[in-house]
């Protein structure tokens, strides 16, 4: 046995602050008879160890293989050093270094231990809505600066009582150095407020809130990352009233339940979905509804799925706790007016939500950074992101190349931004649609916070090429005021590279990019969206695309589906026959103006958008005319489609264009024959899948490339994914889909950042112009 004494310094980087890592190190050192110390710094966790080499080897093995539940090691350095002849192992005070940075842990759902204590009448934290420990609770939403210590969080306003201090200082306690630790005696409290007047506090406030919900009232509830609007999901009148007040006529509402049993009353839940619902991330999961559907249809009009999450904070658990005659499911939707960011400050909520909610359930733990709930769906038994936010952001994505300090500002819709440094890409939480000043403010606040806590001073800024995006205008203005290089990245190229990074695929290798979405500014000034690219991080070629169609009214046309349908028919040279649903929807004057607009090319930008093609087919089938949220017509078309239909509509590829004339003729023929819309919708999905296969095969013949990337908002369509993937794989393609970031514009900032990083590094960067 080797008993020679050694001394080493261990530097650990990763998710190692705010996750019980120092207490874990303390216990591990004690177990292995090692002396020394551990401390947080702004850049890593630093450990000094002295002892025998055998004990040190065992320590390092356990360090890398038996981490605390929330911890993650990204890099580990072991440096021989001089002994300090320590007599014990200590946790030292944190050391701040303005030049260093550290990944921040996301907020985490309540753990099983805290949940058990929450409902134990003998526990001193019984029914305390802010119970937490080193394995769960708030992190990102309360952190103001690093290192992650209580004084640098919004918990600084709550000095610990004697009992909490004892737990905090006890190395064997689950709350050892848990920064948000609190109890009813010293921590945050809740109160119930009506018309600006508090009427109940603490437990009475929660019971009053439950009583109001039971009576069909709408409440604004302050949660972890902002306010929710809550009501009884089984009460159709309450749900309808919430829709009217929120000005959200059709977009589905999210639902919350106490446990899995409650969810399974209304939805089918497979083993993977159960795992995600019960995970520490606790996202909203899109689940197949049971038939017949027992919840009001207006929760998710014309949808086959419901978005459910489990109560993920102690406060939510207390609001959803089962009781005879109490709602088993609550609507728990974002606390905002339609299109505005979620409210997260008390004064802001009073102003913005007073007309929406009958009363408020407040608490006095300040939220420093607003965060929306994450949304995922199942794809081949793996999570597939619709929205990456709470529980995941701001966890850094590891990129296997050294990245300069960069800011990428993302797109207009579903905005996120991205900051890079070292081997990390910090993709932000969900900001939302950048269509108003309030969302733009949230965007600016988020960027300032990320730059501060990650100690990143951007050397360049990347943005979309669209000149009218608010994010692009911000980038241009900031690049000028700070004299920073501005790198404008083509929208669909950014999608392609985002998916490469998501799969940790070699950036230098060429791939076939099937990039399908609603809108993206093209290199030729047109609106792209049905793109077949050949490219990598360095650049791309546009080899095929849907044939251009005029979009009457530009972006405004997306709100009137019938206009898009008639524009497609006009472009294909097909008549607007009087009995077509899209023709009947518009009055004669509207049709006359539309035809004039198309013939004279008045405000009719050209588009190759696949998203608009889905809209046009939905309009032809009479699914809807007016759209109230982005992608609505396409989503309803997907939900209508017969998944078992095998028929395929024809199309043709002419040089670099996909011509849709034969497809439209076949759809019209079926419609005239009285073929049911679900079958037509199914055949259309099959046609798009076969079109993608043929386009990929064509590009493979030209290039020899066998890897296909699927990115863009259209790829949220699970039916299209289900139809397309087997066709490509059976034709010997390797297919890359998104895994850690959304396929929609919520992932585009990642691609922008990596393309910009390459351009800064290599002067030979090429982007098709």
């Amino acid at each position: 046995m080797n008993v020679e004494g050694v001394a080493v310094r261990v530097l650990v980087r990763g998710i190692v602050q705010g996750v019980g890592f120092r207490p874990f190190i303390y216990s591990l050192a004690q177990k292995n008879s090692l002396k020394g110390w551990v401390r947080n710094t702004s850049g890593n966790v630093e450990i000094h160890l002295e002892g025998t080499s055998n004990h040190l080897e065992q320590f390092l093995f356990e360090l890398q293989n038996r981490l605390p539940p929330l911890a993650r090691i990204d890099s580990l350095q072991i440096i021989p050093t001089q002994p300090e002849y320590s007599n014990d192992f200590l946790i030292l005070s944190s050391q701040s270094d303005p030049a260093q940075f550290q990944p921040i842990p996301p907020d985490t759902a309540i753990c099983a231990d805290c949940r058990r204590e929450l409902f134990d009448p003998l526990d001193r934290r019984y029914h305390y809505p802010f119970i937490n420990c080193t394995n769960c609770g708030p992190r990102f939403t309360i952190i103001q600066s690093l290192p992650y210590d209580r004084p640098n969080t919004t918990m600084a306003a709550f000095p610990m009582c004697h009992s909490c201090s004892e737990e905090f200082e006890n190395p064997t306690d689950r709350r050892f150095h848990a920064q948000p630790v609190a109890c009813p005696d010293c921590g945050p409290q809740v109160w119930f407020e009506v018309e600006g007047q508090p009427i109940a506090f603490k437990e009475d406030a929660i019971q009053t809130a439950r009583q109001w919900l039971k009576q069909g009232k709408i409440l604004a509830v302050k949660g972890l990352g902002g306010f929710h609007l809550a009501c009884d999901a089984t009460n159709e009148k309450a749900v309808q009233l919430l829709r009217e007040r929120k000005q959200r006529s059709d977009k589905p509402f999210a639902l919350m339940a106490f446990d899995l049993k409650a969810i399974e009353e209304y939805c089918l839940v497979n083993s993977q979905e159960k795992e995600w619902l019960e995970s520490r991330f606790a996202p909203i999961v899109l689940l197949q509804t049971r038939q017949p559907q027992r919840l009001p249809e207006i929760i998710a009009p014309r949808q086959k799925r419901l978005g459910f999450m489990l109560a993920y904070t102690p406060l939510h658990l207390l609001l959803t706790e089962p009781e005879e005659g109490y709602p088993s499911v609550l609507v728990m939707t974002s606390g905002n007016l339609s299109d505005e960011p979620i409210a997260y400050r008390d004064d802001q909520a009073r102003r913005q939500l007073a007309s929406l909610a009958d009363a408020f359930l407040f608490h006095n733990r300040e939220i420093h950074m607003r965060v929306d709930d994450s949304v995922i769906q199942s794809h081949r038994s793996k999570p597939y992101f619709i929205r990456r936010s709470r529980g995941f952001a701001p966890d850094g994505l590891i990129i296997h190349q050294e990245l300069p300090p960069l800011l990428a500002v993302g797109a207009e819709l579903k905005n996120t931004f991205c900051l890079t440094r070292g081997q990390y890409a910090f993709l932000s939480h969900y900001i939302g649609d950048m269509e108003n000043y309030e969302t733009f403010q949230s965007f600016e606040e988020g960027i300032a916070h990320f730059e501060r806590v990650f100690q990143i001073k951007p050397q360049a800024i990347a943005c979309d090429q669209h000149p009218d995006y608010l994010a692009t205008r911000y980038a241009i203005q900031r690049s000028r005021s700070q004299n920073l290089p501005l790198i404008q990245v083509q929208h669909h190229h950014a999608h392609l590279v985002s998916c490469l990074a998501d799969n940790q695929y070699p950036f230098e290798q060429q791939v076939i990019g099937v990039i399908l979405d609603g809108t993206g500014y093209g290199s030729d000034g047109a609106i792209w969206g049905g793109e077949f690219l050949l490219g990598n991080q360095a650049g791309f070629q546009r080899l095929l695309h849907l044939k251009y169609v005029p979009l009457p009214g530009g972006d405004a046309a997306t709100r009137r589906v019938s206009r898009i349908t008639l524009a497609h028919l006009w472009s294909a040279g097909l008549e607007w026959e009087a009995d077509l649903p899209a023709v009947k929807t518009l009055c004669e004057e509207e049709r006359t103006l539309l035809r004039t607009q198309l013939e004279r090319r008045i405000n009719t930008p050209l588009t190759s958008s696949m998203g608009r093609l889905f809209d046009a087919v939905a309009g032809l089938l009479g699914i809807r005319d007016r759209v109230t949220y982005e992608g609505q017509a396409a989503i309803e078309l997907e939900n209508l489609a017969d998944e078992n239909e095998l028929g395929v509509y024809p199309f043709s590829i002419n040089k670099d264009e996909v011509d849709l004339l034969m497809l439209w003729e076949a759809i019209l023929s079926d419609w005239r024959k009285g073929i049911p819309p679900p079958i037509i919708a199914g055949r259309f999905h099959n046609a798009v899948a076969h079109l993608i296969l043929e386009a990929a095969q064509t590009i493979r013949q030209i290039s020899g490339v066998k890897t296909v990337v699927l990115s863009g908002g259209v790829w949220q369509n699970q039916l299209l994914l289900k139809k397309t993937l087997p066709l490509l794989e059976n034709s010997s393609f390797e297919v890359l889909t998104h895994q850690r970031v959304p396929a929609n514009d919520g992932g585009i900032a990642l691609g922008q950042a990596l393309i910009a990083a390459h351009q800064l590094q290599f002067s030979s960067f090429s982007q098709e112009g």
Side-chain angles (χ1 to χ4, degrees):
M1 179 180 291
N2 187 344
V3 295
E4 180 185 353
V6 294
V8 297
R9 191 66 53 89
V10 182
L11 304 179
V12 188
R13 181 180 287 277
I15 301 295
V16 289
Q17 293 193 19
V19 293
F21 191 76
R22 287 176 299 170
F24 164 71
I25 294 298
Y26 177 93
S27 300
L28 202 56
Q30 295 283 4
K31 176 183 174 183
N32 288 284
S33 304
L34 295 170
K35 312 299 182 185
W37 47 262
V38 59
R39 69 181 172 200
N40 279 345
T41 74
S42 300
N44 50 42
V45 169
E46 191 175 1
I47 310 167
H48 179 84
L49 297 169
E50 297 179 20
T52 68
S53 55
N54 284 343
H55 285 150
L56 183 60
E57 287 174 10
Q58 182 62 28
F59 174 96
L60 293 172
F61 174 81
E62 294 187 56
L63 170 63
Q64 296 174 80
N65 293 281
R66 297 174 187 171
L67 286 171
L70 306 184
R72 186 191 74 216
I73 293 177
D74 294 336
S75 67
L76 188 72
Q77 280 184 279
I78 303 167
I79 306 165
T81 189
Q82 294 299 312
E84 297 177 359
Y85 304 105
S86 308
N87 295 318
D88 204 346
F89 193 87
L90 304 173
I91 296 181
L92 301 183
S93 298
S94 298
Q95 186 178 70
S96 181
D97 181 352
Q100 297 298 318
F101 74 102
Q102 179 70 245
I104 294 177
D107 302 288
T108 304
I110 186 172
C111 69
D113 290 328
C114 285
R115 183 174 180 140
R116 185 175 58 253
E117 292 171 351
L118 181 68
F119 293 109
D120 180 0
L122 300 180
D123 193 277
R124 74 186 189 92
R125 293 185 176 88
Y126 174 64
H127 270 209
Y128 180 56
F130 304 98
I131 187 172
N132 66 83
C133 69
T134 55
N135 297 325
C136 70
R139 298 294 190 272
F140 174 59
T141 52
I142 65 169
I143 291 174
Q144 296 167 314
S145 62
L146 291 181
Y148 175 57
D149 291 316
R150 195 181 185 99
N152 296 329
T153 74
T154 60
M155 285 300 294
F158 303 96
M160 284 182 278
C161 65
H162 177 71
S163 297
C164 285
S165 293
E166 283 191 332
E167 293 170 328
F168 188 85
E169 299 295 342
N170 182 359
T172 64
D173 196 283
R174 197 174 84 253
R175 294 185 171 91
F176 183 45
H177 280 239
Q179 303 303 328
V181 66
C183 75
D185 295 331
C186 66
Q189 300 293 345
V190 294
W191 71 93
F192 191 84
E193 186 172 300
V194 182
E195 295 181 351
Q197 298 298 316
I199 65 169
F201 299 87
K202 300 184 179 180
E203 178 70 14
D204 286 345
I206 291 169
Q207 295 308 319
T208 304
R210 287 173 61 90
Q211 192 62 33
W212 279 53
L213 287 167
K214 187 176 177 180
Q215 293 170 359
K217 303 291 188 182
I218 297 168
L219 300 185
V221 179
K222 186 178 180 181
L224 185 66
F227 282 79
H228 285 109
L229 291 168
C231 71
D232 176 1
T234 66
N235 185 329
E236 185 165 1
K237 288 183 178 179
V239 178
Q240 182 60 41
L241 182 59
L242 177 56
R243 284 209 174 277
E244 292 169 3
R245 289 182 181 178
K246 194 172 160 68
Q247 301 171 29
R248 183 169 168 172
S249 56
D250 296 302
K251 194 173 183 180
F253 283 144
L255 302 172
M256 178 179 281
F258 180 79
D259 55 21
L260 196 65
K261 180 182 177 183
I263 295 178
E264 288 179 324
E265 288 185 34
Y266 305 103
C267 291
L268 303 171
V269 187
N270 64 35
S271 58
Q272 289 80 22
E273 291 162 343
K274 175 183 176 182
E275 182 180 332
W276 304 332
L277 285 163
E278 295 181 330
S279 72
R280 68 176 187 264
F281 310 109
I284 297 168
V285 181
L286 300 183
L287 302 170
Q288 195 76 23
T289 56
R290 288 188 182 275
Q291 297 300 326
Q293 186 173 322
R294 294 171 50 205
L295 288 171
E297 202 265 343
I298 60 170
I299 288 172
R302 295 170 291 281
Q303 306 287 313
K304 293 180 180 178
R305 297 184 295 177
L306 293 171
F308 259 107
M309 57 183 155
L310 287 175
Y312 56 85
T313 72
L315 178 59
H316 290 131
L317 283 169
L318 295 174
L319 282 179
T320 57
E321 186 180 7
E323 181 185 31
E324 185 68 30
Y326 187 73
S328 59
V329 176
L330 297 179
V331 168
M332 199 65 72
T333 188
S334 55
N336 57 356
L337 271 171
S338 186
D339 298 328
E340 290 185 357
I342 185 172
Y344 73 109
R345 296 190 182 104
D346 293 358
D347 58 342
Q348 174 194 47
R350 288 187 182 98
R351 289 194 311 271
Q352 296 180 359
L353 306 182
S355 61
L356 280 66
D358 297 307
F360 290 80
L361 185 61
F362 282 110
H363 63 72
N364 60 343
R365 185 180 70 201
E366 182 186 343
I367 298 169
H368 186 70
M369 187 55 51
R370 64 159 62 90
V371 178
D372 289 83
D373 296 311
S374 294
V375 184
I376 65 171
Q377 59 187 354
S378 177
H379 168 55
R380 291 190 167 182
S381 301
K382 293 181 180 179
Y384 192 78
F385 281 90
I386 304 298
R387 180 198 297 164
R388 179 186 180 271
S389 201
R390 177 188 50 77
F392 299 95
D395 193 7
L397 301 166
I398 298 174
I399 308 297
H400 295 300
Q401 62 179 231
E402 194 68 18
L403 300 171
L406 277 171
L407 167 64
V409 298
E412 185 86 344
L413 301 178
K414 298 179 174 62
N415 179 271
T416 62
F417 59 85
C418 184
L419 281 154
T420 61
R421 181 175 176 180
Q423 290 194 333
Y424 287 102
F426 296 104
L427 187 64
S428 80
H429 52 297
Y430 174 81
I431 302 297
D433 295 347
M434 298 270 282
E435 296 178 333
N436 54 59
Y437 179 67
E438 291 79 12
T439 308
F440 182 68
Q441 270 189 312
S442 178
F443 167 79
E444 289 187 306
E445 289 169 1
I447 290 174
H449 184 59
F450 269 60
E451 289 181 2
R452 182 171 61 254
V453 297
F454 294 125
Q455 301 290 336
I456 297 176
K457 186 177 181 180
Q459 295 177 356
I461 302 179
C463 66
D464 196 272
Q465 290 180 339
H466 199 300
D468 294 330
Y469 281 0
L470 279 178
T472 299
R473 292 178 182 177
Y474 167 90
I476 293 170
Q477 183 178 11
R478 184 168 173 186
S479 71
R480 288 173 179 169
S481 65
Q482 298 182 5
N483 196 28
L484 295 172
L486 178 70
I487 299 158
Q488 294 189 269
V489 178
Q490 202 284 319
H491 189 91
H492 301 91
H493 185 205
H495 269 305
L496 183 151
V497 176
S498 172
C499 193
L500 292 182
D502 203 349
N503 288 271
Q504 298 183 324
Y505 194 82
F507 288 121
E508 71 280 1
Q509 289 194 23
Q510 294 272 328
V511 295
I512 299 166
V514 181
I515 316 300
L516 309 178
D517 62 6
T519 182
Y521 194 78
S523 303
D524 59 358
I527 301 171
W528 293 6
E531 310 307 313
F532 300 88
L533 312 178
L534 181 66
N536 57 14
Q537 185 185 22
F540 73 95
Q541 295 173 270
R542 187 192 195 201
L543 298 184
L544 287 169
H545 60 86
L546 295 188
K547 186 177 180 179
Y548 282 137
V549 172
L551 189 63
D555 289 342
T558 62
R559 293 187 283 274
R560 293 294 306 273
V561 172
S562 298
R563 292 171 62 88
I564 299 173
T565 303
L566 297 187
H568 267 267
L569 295 179
W570 180 87
S571 183
L574 299 171
E575 289 298 317
W576 296 353
E577 298 180 31
D579 58 342
L580 293 176
V583 174
K584 292 162 71 174
T585 298
L586 301 178
C587 69
E588 184 177 352
E589 184 180 359
E590 287 177 303
R591 295 196 303 272
T592 301
L593 287 172
L594 178 61
R595 188 178 294 277
T596 301
Q597 193 174 6
L598 291 168
E599 290 174 348
R600 297 183 181 179
R601 299 182 181 180
I602 302 169
N603 190 21
T604 52
L606 297 176
T607 183
S608 59
S609 168
M610 181 65 78
R612 298 294 78 82
L613 176 60
F614 272 78
D615 287 347
V617 174
L620 182 71
L621 297 181
I623 293 173
R624 73 165 38 254
D625 174 40
R626 295 187 183 273
V627 165
T628 62
Y629 63 91
E630 199 233 345
Q632 182 180 7
I635 290 168
E636 292 179 1
L637 181 68
E638 176 192 359
N639 279 273
L640 177 71
D642 182 344
E643 296 185 18
N644 299 313
E645 173 58 36
L646 299 177
V648 181
Y649 292 130
F651 53 86
S652 61
I653 296 177
N654 302 322
K655 296 183 180 179
D656 61 348
E657 286 187 339
V658 179
D659 193 306
L660 301 173
L661 172 61
M662 290 193 295
L663 179 138
W664 282 115
E665 288 176 333
I667 293 174
L668 284 166
S669 174
D670 273 359
W671 187 80
R672 294 242 167 262
K673 293 174 185 174
I675 301 295
I679 292 178
I680 296 176
R683 290 175 180 175
F684 170 68
H685 277 80
N686 293 338
V688 175
H690 280 82
L691 159 62
I692 291 163
L693 172 63
E694 187 169 325
Q697 289 173 330
T698 300
I699 295 174
R700 181 169 61 185
Q701 289 176 346
I702 297 169
S703 65
V705 173
K706 299 178 181 179
T707 301
V708 175
V709 160
L710 306 181
S711 190
V714 169
W715 291 112
Q716 293 174 134
N717 185 319
Q718 285 293 291
L719 179 57
L720 185 62
L721 264 177
K722 183 179 176 181
K723 298 280 188 180
T724 304
L725 282 170
L727 291 177
L728 291 170
E729 290 165 344
N730 292 337
S731 189
S732 301
F733 284 102
E734 177 187 11
V735 185
L736 305 181
T737 59
H738 282 275
Q739 302 177 47
R740 300 177 295 164
V741 302
N744 60 42
D745 282 2
I748 208 166
L750 176 62
Q752 290 175 347
L754 297 175
I755 292 167
H758 187 277
Q759 181 170 359
L760 287 177
Q761 188 175 4
F762 298 101
S763 59
S764 60
F765 176 87
S766 168
Q767 192 167 247
E768 187 178 86

